[in-house]
Amino acid sequence: MTFEPLKGIKILDLTAVVVGPVATWRLGQYGAEIIKVENPSGDLMRGLGGLSPTGQHSGAYLHLNRGKRNICLDLKKQGGREICQKLVEWSDVIVANMRPDALERLGLDAQTIRTKYPEKIYCLITGYGTDGPYSGLPTYDSVLQGASGIAGLTMARDGKPVYVPMLICDHVVGEITAGAVMAALMQRHKTGQGASLEIPMFETMAAFVLQEHLAQQSFEPSVGPAGDLRLLSPHNKPVKTKDGYISFTINTDVQVKAFLKITDRTELLNDERFLTVATRAKFVSEWFEIRGAALENKTTDEWLEIFRKVDLPAMPCHTLETLTNDPHLKAVGLINFENHPTEGKTAVIRSTIQVDGEYPSAYSSAAPCGWDTKEILHDLGYSDAEMESLINENATFQFKTEQ
Amino acid sequence: MTFEPLKGIKILDLTAVVVGPVATWRLGQYGAEIIKVENPSGDLMRGLGGLSPTGQHSGAYLHLNRGKRNICLDLKKQGGREICQKLVEWSDVIVANMRPDALERLGLDAQTIRTKYPEKIYCLITGYGTDGPYSGLPTYDSVLQGASGIAGLTMARDGKPVYVPMLICDHVVGEITAGAVMAALMQRHKTGQGASLEIPMFETMAAFVLQEHLAQQSFEPSVGPAGDLRLLSPHNKPVKTKDGYISFTINTDVQVKAFLKITDRTELLNDERFLTVATRAKFVSEWFEIRGAALENKTTDEWLEIFRKVDLPAMPCHTLETLTNDPHLKAVGLINFENHPTEGKTAVIRSTIQVDGEYPSAYSSAAPCGWDTKEILHDLGYSDAEMESLINENATFQFKTEQ
């Protein structure tokens, strides 16, 4: 099936690494037409996300750059900048995650573009908002995990800070950015006017953390410390079984009773500390200690069966190895394989959003750097002679299989 | 300023806890009109997210339910169900995160509603997709962190599994859901047709994890193990300074050279293992050990100044306490205070998405359960007498300050 609400929307993708590519990938999932501009040295993520058969398409690069055509431009060259201006003209939306000063130098900043084209949507992802002391500073995911308090949360819980072993800030802000672009497109539909969006990653992730963890400091006077104490309990963790770990949650009073019964702790059934959400919140440490006690007398599978019989939410605690072999993921076909032009047989992670009973079909695979250069230049109206001249002066590059 | 691309879009919010409320909160940020239906026992999150002056509005509840009017309905009563059907008729979009079987019993499932109203958008957030063995099972955030491999990633890195101390799956899927609803609204604009969306949390988070971490298993034959080895390195963590921790990232060759110089490790400048992205990927463990070595001879502030002089991305590793006092967040005014009808002076975390140089104004504060019941019933055309009768039979409840 097709679900292409953004069909006909043209997106100029001036992004690299993760946060921008996630945003445009998601817009591509909804049918937008995307041209990714890549510099001749290539998106850093091609090499950073692990090995690939050619070394040019790490798994992460592949999965986050599906559905985009690729043009390779050297923006240090006049010819490259001219082509990029034609792409600006072509586009409905420009998404960038370069640093603001670099964009200004290239004439690719919001003000320059929207003065000329007020109907265009310009979306800039920055590390830090334009109006505070960190404005203009460079950033990366782990720096943001530190700055936004995510690593600090693990310090509060475990005594020392660690990062979530994922590019969680990049990935989250990318999704939020895709939403903001769609909102601006809807606005434009009504008013004919574009918009200049700026999404500062630090503030966005700080807000994301504080929505959950400002907690008792949300009030003045405060009613207690910041932090959701349930989530910060060291006992809130996957629980050891005879052969592995199990993940479960127990929130409602009914679930608490069921849990105490199946784990043979019926003496606690009438313990006033654990009778209601409110009392368990007060005795959160005691309650989580009971909840987090090991269940080593049975295997994970045995426990899962028992939990499910009483309708308690529980799942195995998967490793990457067991995750890809999960029977549910296999049954729903989350991962398929296709033939990539340079990497051979490669995995496709499909959209997980079901529309009218079906999953929209997958889009084209992530392209090598400069794969579509000539085709795009042709679409922009360049003659063969102009194209060759631009290629000869190294303003633009066409990927060659023999390269 | 106002940025209300969804103004005039009516959303019936049949969600509770976190994932659904995040989705509708985000849609509210873009100007949608939202009515949240709450059952008389109240959204579990009112109590779960920590204390509040009245005990009825935890910080998390407050921050995730801004901009929504609130009607309290007992859907076990005929009268409550009838009001809910009128709300279905009123709405453009229905968002639900109840379990599918409960929705079917109430006649609030996608098929029933869209057969009658094909122009409506129905969005169901489920734990697990409808077509696999886990279909219909209950879930919560930490169960999904276990199932989707997030906890397993920390086991791969640190030897034992822990959860991210946030409701990360709920929060991420909520944002993705908001985007999907906007995509469906754009589709409806073009075709006049609604859509039935289903967003399974497990698959969505598994895809989110695997986009980054399927990595070298993305190829057949695989070129190595799954997992982005940089992110799974135990050395990839905030680094101890004289007085705390600092977060930084070093990715490009230029950054590597700058880092080795400022940390007095110039003997490594020409070490072939660390010269390029590709060689550092090969010697990732050695490289991260160098990067992760303590910097205890200077304070965090001293190091930050040194890092910034050579343009290396670095930030303090904030705790919740230092985060809320961060000078940048203070300067940009991320958190403000307002007067909540029952909780007194409470924090408002504003939108972080800047539009045309301004942040859209904040929306109304999160409502007590049943705060807008009478007003909404009036809008739906109920007479005062009908209203009183429905209230008397406990089909619906109006919040009273004296309660």
Side-chain angles (χ1 to χ4, degrees), chain A residues 83-149:
Chain A
I83 295 168
C84 199
Q85 284 303 330
K86 290 227 182 211
L87 285 168
V88 168
E89 203 179 316
W90 162 87
S91 69
D92 297 294
V93 180
I94 298 104
V95 185
N97 66 348
M98 279 186 257
R99 285 165 75 175
D101 50 352
L103 289 163
E104 271 170 44
R105 275 199 307 274
L106 294 165
L108 292 169
D109 57 300
Q111 211 191 330
T112 305
I113 289 178
R114 291 209 55 243
T115 303
K116 201 166 167 191
Y117 307 106
E119 77 285 4
K120 295 201 191 288
I121 293 164
Y122 185 96
C123 179
L124 177 65
I125 306 164
T126 58
Y128 310 91
T130 41
D131 37 5
Y134 302 164
S135 174
L137 289 178
T139 202
Y140 282 102
D141 185 82
S142 54
V143 176
L144 289 167
Q145 291 202 35
S148 67

Side-chain angles (χ1 to χ4, degrees), chain B residues 19-300:
Chain B
V19 60
V22 165
T24 55
W25 162 79
R26 178 61 77 185
L27 295 167
Q29 293 270 313
Y30 294 136
E33 183 182 350
I34 300 160
I35 295 181
K36 177 181 173 93
V37 172
E38 201 165 339
N39 67 46
S41 59
D43 186 333
L44 200 60
M45 208 60 202
R46 290 183 174 274
L48 273 186
L51 305 176
S52 83
T54 69
Q56 284 305 304
H57 291 85
S58 69
Y61 183 84
L62 278 175
H63 301 307
L64 300 178
N65 287 282
R66 296 182 61 71
K68 309 174 188 178
R69 289 199 292 166
N70 191 300
I71 186 168
C72 180
L73 297 179
D74 186 347
L75 297 178
K76 293 197 198 94
K77 297 262 165 68
Q78 179 64 20
R81 284 197 298 275
E82 277 171 23
I83 296 169
C84 201
Q85 285 301 329
K86 290 228 182 212
L87 285 168
V88 168
E89 204 178 316
W90 162 86
S91 68
D92 298 295
V93 180
I94 299 105
V95 185
N97 66 348
M98 279 186 256
R99 282 164 77 174
D101 50 352
L103 288 163
E104 271 171 44
R105 275 197 309 274
L106 294 165
L108 291 169
D109 57 300
Q111 210 191 332
T112 305
I113 289 179
R114 292 208 57 242
T115 303
K116 203 166 164 191
Y117 307 106
E119 76 286 4
K120 296 203 190 287
I121 294 164
Y122 185 96
C123 179
L124 177 65
I125 305 163
T126 57
Y128 309 90
T130 41
D131 36 5
Y134 301 163
S135 176
L137 289 178
T139 200
Y140 282 102
D141 184 84
S142 53
V143 177
L144 288 168
Q145 289 202 36
S148 65
I150 295 177
L153 289 170
T154 63
M155 177 153 57
R157 183 184 62 189
D158 307 323
K160 57 183 183 178
V162 295
Y163 300 126
V164 178
M166 295 181 62
L167 302 168
I168 195 84
C169 299
D170 281 339
H171 217 136
V172 167
V173 176
E175 292 283 1
I176 291 172
T177 299
V181 168
M182 287 190 278
L185 281 166
M186 293 180 77
Q187 179 89 333
R188 189 175 81 153
H189 209 92
K190 290 203 283 195
T191 64
Q193 286 294 303
S196 298
L197 304 176
E198 189 192 322
I199 295 148
M201 297 183 72
F202 172 49
E203 286 93 318
T204 301
M205 289 313 296
F208 191 91
V209 169
L210 291 172
Q211 282 186 321
E212 288 184 36
H213 282 293
L214 191 56
Q216 298 166 132
Q217 294 273 329
S218 298
F219 308 95
E220 205 169 289
S222 83
V223 293
D228 182 328
L229 299 180
R230 297 174 312 134
L231 303 178
L232 294 174
S233 163
H235 299 295
N236 183 16
K237 59 182 193 307
V239 166
K240 188 107 190 63
T241 63
K242 195 189 261 183
D243 64 343
Y245 288 89
I246 187 171
S247 287
F248 58 82
T249 309
I250 313 288
N251 275 335
T252 67
D253 301 343
V254 174
Q255 289 167 346
V256 169
K257 286 207 188 324
F259 175 72
L260 292 174
K261 280 179 194 161
I262 61 168
T263 56
D264 286 329
R265 280 175 279 194
T266 46
E267 76 278 9
L268 298 171
L269 278 173
N270 295 312
D271 192 316
E272 289 196 349
R273 294 172 301 170
F274 313 129
L275 281 182
T276 68
V277 171
T279 58
R280 288 191 298 277
K282 258 187 213 147
F283 296 97
V284 65
S285 159
E286 291 87 341
W287 167 234
F288 271 87
E289 195 166 343
I290 289 161
R291 251 187 55 164
L295 297 172
E296 290 183 273
N297 58 335
K298 294 188 179 71
T299 66
T300 299

Side-chain angles (χ1 to χ4, degrees), chain A residues 318-335:
Chain A
H318 272 315
T319 63
L320 285 173
E321 289 67 35
T322 61
L323 177 63
T324 48
N325 289 307
D326 180 85
H328 182 87
L329 294 186
K330 293 254 182 205
V332 302
L334 182 66
I335 299 175

